[in-house]
């Protein structure tokens, strides 16, 4: 590697052949999901909306899950993703630490979401499903699902939070280009949507309500299943290609990480990076501190409560053991739509509760400050979500510098910000 | 190569060390630029707005120009760019032809414009210049210049056509993030702008007027020079890294091209791809047909007249020997802003006049049709400009198929369309 050769590529043959399931390696077993009346959820409870393979993955105690050939082929269009040494950012910060970012923004959807979208579309297609429904807030997940549905010959309907759709019309353009149907939520297509509109004809929608609409439609149609972009175990499972590739790439660079940093909304991006490191962290072979980063304004992990809570507003989803701000928590309208979620992945929650990982909250100002620095130093505009991981990485590198102990920091650039530029409007950096 | 290994990467050491100047290889020498009163332009006429090195390049008869080390270093952040075999697009089209695209969208600005922006910023900095002015329509050139100015420690002021600024506010966001100042043109900062506003306070601006404003400011300030994103010989020169890399990449793939296709606005993208092939085309060693593609609604090369004409509306620029629709031609408001130019690069014009290359015009409908196909097959959304090259490539591949003679087609993806999605609004593809 040189200054020029700052990107660590892996050959296609190094795309992980397996997903790594962290469930059997958790220090304490995960509690079962519960129905609203608090009995354990059985696989048949989920059969109306998820295919058998994904339900099996959700509760599996098997460490390695082979990635099916058609999924590998789809992933191979953009994977392995590069690990990039951010030398210009290091210089801009004035630190001796080595900063690497795993660039998940090179995917078809521009974010890590495509990793699980392809897998979920495949397993649904295998189960004879021809239509998928889902919700989207900022639009990254909807985009990833639209592309994945098309890849596997299915149609997709995306319920997009109405206010997001109005603020980000271009996400709809991409989803439409990929053949997906995009509806503003609340819609008139579902009971949940009609109820919301009856109560308030001008309702702007919430992610919780969009989930309820998408689930309701999947339950009511045998040809249709529902897909979720984060939180659940099988989603974290599919994202572990990220961390497995990072392990190989760091080895190629001759690096051992001191920090593994990712932003945390529902937890799949963070879990995808960190889960593959957990066995070595537990054994002490890996000394890296894994830090989940969230916005100060939606502090699920740093200020939430660990308990059973529902994943959506209407209570259609099971109760899950997780850190939560409460299913009715209304996060402020921050720009990082992907981090405006009241709950957390049960897997990430369990890791935090066992102190295998830690959590940090960063301010909006710091996110924008370091995103601008990344833009003019690395020529990369991070998604507002990813800017949280970036900001924590920069703040940590500066702190290490003050302590005279530079190290190796790795963060996930979970997505690019080219479709979220409104977030950066008015944030001008002077030369 | 395999289906998975569809991207042909070159190592950083294979970034071209020289720019290739096609001027001495033109079948007929290029006529001199003329002043408005029709005397040949002398270097001193240009000294007020361009640095000596660029003026020398503009009229050079030297074939190879070494790329200065700092420019090479800046280019190495994203170059060499991949040459991609578009197997999924071939399959979607149902053709036996091999289609490759040179992916210039991976640059910091998302387009090929960064190749010359870095070079122009460097030569200006070397000449002691600290400020750059330029115009931008769609915003790709302004973005590239904002980044390049920052790279070399200069400030940049971008006059952006007012209507474009209103339609594409996010381009301004990026330019601001990079530290550039963006003004709506007509502005009150220049005589040309004030005159336009006096005549029509609601004027929406034109590219020609924005050029006039940027040039006027550069002329009036000794610390400030003007930079142009296309048309001129030195701009085409800087873009020849594209074609030189393609030559190496095709050799690696064991291919000889039958078609070299690029969209044509001012000519630097087309010239950058094709110029390095010209000596071999002239000698007969290369049988490729080089096709410049323009919109039917702005048919400079296919329906324009070859003569001396001005580059801007106000007549500040020299008269150049080129195909032109007339300096006062008002192209309709098509989505491909980068192709709405009345003139053409003198170099490309000379190549067309000598029949070394040919030109084609494609319809807006075909552009959108094949752009959608590229989106769902290759997961790539082309810039509306690049969609013209794509459409011509697809139409040619289909024609070759009908004739039972599949071939090897190469086109330039000069930029991505993520910042131009409004162009695709309402263009939905059904699965």
């Amino acid at each position: 590697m040189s200054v020029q050769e700052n990107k660590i590529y892996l050959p296609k043959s190094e795309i992980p052949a397996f997903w790594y399931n962290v469930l059997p390696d958790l220090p304490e077993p995960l509690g079962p999901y519960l129905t609203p009346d608090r009995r354990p959820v059985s696989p048949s409870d989920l059969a109306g909306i998820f295919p058998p393979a994904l339900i099996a993955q959700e509760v599996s105690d098997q460490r390695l899950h082979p990635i099916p050939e058609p999924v590998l082929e789809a992933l191979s269009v953009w994977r392995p993703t590069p690990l990039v040494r951010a030398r210009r950012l290091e210089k801009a910060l004035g630190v001796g630490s080595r900063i690497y970012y795993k660039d998940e923004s090179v995917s078809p959807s521009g974010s890590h979401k495509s990793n699980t979208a392809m897998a979920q579309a495949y397993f649904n297609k295998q189960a004879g499903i021809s239509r998928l429904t889902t919700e989207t807030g900022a639009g990254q997940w909807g985009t990833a699902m639209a592309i994945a549905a098309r890849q596997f010959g299915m149609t997709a309907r995306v319920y997009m939070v109405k206010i997001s759709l109005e603020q980000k019309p271009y996400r709809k353009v991409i989803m439409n280009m990929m053949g997906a149907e995009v509806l503003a939520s609340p819609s008139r297509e579902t009971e949940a949507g009609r109820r919301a509109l009856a109560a308030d004809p001008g309702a702007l929608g919430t992610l919780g309500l969009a989930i309820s609409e998408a689930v309701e439609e999947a339950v009511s149609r045998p040809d249709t299943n529902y897909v979720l972009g984060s939180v659940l175990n099988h989603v974290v499972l599919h994202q572990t290609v990220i961390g497995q590739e990072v392990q190989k790439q760091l080895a190629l660079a001759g690096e051992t990480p001191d920090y593994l940093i990712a932003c945390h909304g529902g937890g799949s991006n963070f879990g995808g990076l960190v889960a593959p490191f957990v066995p070595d962290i537990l054994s002490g072979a890996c000394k890296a501190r894994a830090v989940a980063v969230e916005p100060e304004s939606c502090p699920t992990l740093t200020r939430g409560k660990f308990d059973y809570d529902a994943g959506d507003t209407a209570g259609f989803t099971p109760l899950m053991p997780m850190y939560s701000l409460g299913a009715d928590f209304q996060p402020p309208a921050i720009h990082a739509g992907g981090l405006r979620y009241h709950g957390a992945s049960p897997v990430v929650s369990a890791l935090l509760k066992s102190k295998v990982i830690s959590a940090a909250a960063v301010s909006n100002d710091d996110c924008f400050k370091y995103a601008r620095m990344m833009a003019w130093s690395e020529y990369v505009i991070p998604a507002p979500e990813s800017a949280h991981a970036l900001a924590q990485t920069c703040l940590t590198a500066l702190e290490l510098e003050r302590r005279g102990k530079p190290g190796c920091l790795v963060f996930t650039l979970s997505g690019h910000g080219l479709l979220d530029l409104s977030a950066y409007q008015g944030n001008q950096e002077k030369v």
Side-chain angles (χ1 to χ4, degrees), chain A:
Chain A
M1 282 202 308
S2 67
V3 177
Q4 281 76 33
E5 306 280 357
N6 63 330
K7 292 192 179 190
I8 305 163
Y9 288 105
L10 294 173
K12 298 288 182 197
S13 56
E14 293 285 339
I15 298 174
F18 294 86
W19 291 304
Y20 162 70
N21 176 22
V22 72
L23 289 182
D25 289 325
L26 291 177
E28 291 176 49
L30 212 61
Y33 296 170
L34 301 179
T35 60
D37 55 350
R38 302 232 158 205
R39 63 169 176 79
V41 167
S42 71
S44 66
D45 289 325
L46 301 172
I49 57 171
F50 293 130
L54 294 179
I55 296 172
Q57 288 170 14
E58 191 62 23
V59 296
S60 169
D61 55 8
Q62 178 189 321
R63 277 190 181 76
L64 297 182
H65 291 247
I67 305 180
E69 187 55 38
V71 177
L72 268 183
E73 197 178 303
L75 296 181
S76 76
V77 173
W78 74 96
R79 304 207 71 86
T81 61
L83 182 72
V84 186
R85 172 82 183 269
R87 286 184 192 264
R88 291 159 163 261
L89 176 63
E90 294 166 12
K91 199 174 153 195
L93 282 167
V95 298
S97 285
R98 284 100 58 213
I99 298 177
Y100 293 85
Y101 64 91
K102 177 67 167 169
D103 190 0
E104 292 296 309
S105 78
V106 299
S107 90
S109 63
S111 83
H112 70 294
K113 294 288 187 189
S114 285
N115 297 324
T116 184
M118 291 296 184
Q120 293 191 50
Y122 168 77
F123 288 117
N124 274 292
K125 182 72 178 185
Q126 284 302 97
I129 292 297
S130 61
R131 285 181 82 251
L132 297 172
T133 61
T134 196
E135 75 291 333
T136 200
Q140 292 180 328
W141 171 240
T143 305
M145 266 323 300
I147 295 170
R150 173 101 202 195
Q151 166 74 22
F152 289 100
M154 291 182 278
T155 56
R157 176 179 270 188
V158 180
Y159 289 91
M160 187 164 181
V161 177
K162 190 178 175 194
I163 179 73
S164 297
L165 183 54
E166 287 172 4
Q167 288 169 348
K168 301 191 175 180
Y170 298 155
R171 282 286 184 184
K172 176 174 186 291
V173 175
I174 299 186
M175 290 186 263
N176 285 165
M177 283 181 85
M178 299 299 176
E181 188 184 0
V182 181
L183 298 179
S185 168
S187 78
R188 302 216 160 272
E189 302 284 312
T190 67
E191 191 52 43
R194 287 187 293 270
R195 212 158 45 222
L197 288 171
D200 174 9
L204 295 176
T206 65
L207 201 54
L209 179 60
I211 295 178
S212 300
E213 289 205 85
V215 170
E216 182 187 323
E217 182 177 335
V219 168
S220 71
R221 292 184 56 155
D223 64 344
T224 301
N225 266 353
Y226 167 72
V227 283
L228 185 65
S230 192
V231 181
L232 297 177
N233 302 341
H234 69 266
V235 184
V236 176
L237 178 75
H238 301 154
Q239 294 291 0
T240 58
V241 291
I242 300 174
Q244 291 182 71
E245 287 180 7
V246 168
Q247 289 177 320
K248 291 179 193 182
Q249 289 164 314
L250 286 174
L252 275 179
E255 292 277 14
T256 51
D258 296 303
Y259 286 86
L260 297 167
I261 299 173
C263 66
H264 183 280
S268 72
N269 166 46
F270 176 80
L273 172 66
V274 167
F277 288 87
V278 163
D280 283 350
I281 291 175
L282 289 171
S283 76
C286 175
K287 306 285 185 204
R289 295 184 57 176
V291 186
V293 191
E294 58 189 12
E296 281 180 347
S297 54
C298 190
T300 310
L301 298 175
T302 51
R303 302 181 63 179
K305 200 177 123 201
F306 184 90
D307 201 350
Y308 273 94
D309 200 2
D312 69 331
T313 323
F316 283 5
T317 67
L319 300 171
M320 294 175 285
M322 62 180 181
Y323 283 91
S324 174
L325 295 164
D328 53 359
F329 175 77
Q330 289 284 350
I334 59 164
H335 294 304
L339 306 184
R340 294 178 69 233
Y341 187 65
H342 68 277
S345 143
V347 160
V348 174
S349 296
L351 290 170
L352 179 62
K353 191 155 172 285
S354 310
K355 302 194 190 326
V356 181
I357 64 157
S358 60
V362 294
S363 72
N364 234 17
D365 283 355
D366 277 336
C367 290
F368 286 126
K369 174 179 173 180
Y370 293 109
R372 288 194 305 264
M373 188 181 283
M374 180 126 181
W376 58 253
S377 62
E378 295 285 324
Y379 305 145
V380 166
I381 299 177
E385 291 80 4
S386 315
H388 288 72
L390 165 68
Q392 178 67 21
T393 301
C394 292
L395 292 168
T396 305
L398 290 169
E399 173 60 25
L400 293 177
E401 200 66 18
R402 275 190 291 275
R403 303 205 318 244
K405 299 198 169 171
C408 172
L409 299 92
V410 180
F411 75 95
T412 313
L413 185 78
S414 52
H416 64 65
L418 291 177
L419 294 166
D420 302 282
L421 283 168
S422 55
Y424 292 107
Q425 217 150 7
N427 279 280
Q428 178 162 357
E429 174 82 357
K430 289 283 180 200
V431 178

